Amino acid sequence: MANRYRGEIDAELGGRRRTLVLTLGALAELEAAFAAPDLVALAERFGAGRLAARDLIRIIGCGLRGAGEAVSDDEVAAMAVEGGATGYVRIAAALIAATFDESPP
């Protein structure tokens, strides 16, 4: 079960309930992937709300790896999600909110 105080979320991916979290290492991976110089730039990019499908794969993959799963972005891309593209967007948005939202859970 996800611990919201640690920035974790639960999501159904590939037919399994999984926990995702953007740890410091996962955030560093995203900074590199998006060529963001720092966390503020990364948060601003996410806040702009313009994410490509590849971006969603990277965010979700980093969240899974942050929670300890050994999964590649290609494996994430092949995972089915209820709701299709909208489902992927919901998962990524929830993960970003859990990571950067300053309000209490």
Side-chain angles (χ1 to χ4, degrees):
M1 183 167 193
N3 181 339
R4 177 73 182 186
Y5 288 102
R6 292 181 16 197
E8 296 174 347
I9 67 161
D10 284 328
E12 181 88 19
L13 286 155
R16 273 190 31 220
R17 192 94 179 135
R18 301 168 193 261
T19 298
L20 295 87
V21 63
L22 292 177
T23 61
L24 193 57
L27 289 167
E29 185 179 340
L30 287 172
E31 284 177 343
F34 295 127
D38 53 41
L39 285 175
V40 172
L42 191 64
E44 287 171 350
R45 177 182 166 94
F46 293 157
R50 295 185 53 110
L51 297 173
R54 177 50 74 187
D55 298 341
L56 298 175
I57 292 166
R58 285 184 179 138
I59 293 165
I60 292 169
C62 284
L64 289 168
R65 288 186 290 278
E69 287 206 36
V71 62
S72 70
D73 284 350
D74 287 339
E75 291 170 314
V76 172
M79 290 179 181
V81 172
E82 186 176 324
T86 303
Y88 293 107
V89 170
R90 267 196 302 268
I91 292 168
L95 184 56
I96 291 165
T99 302
F100 292 103
D101 187 6
E102 295 179 14
S103 62

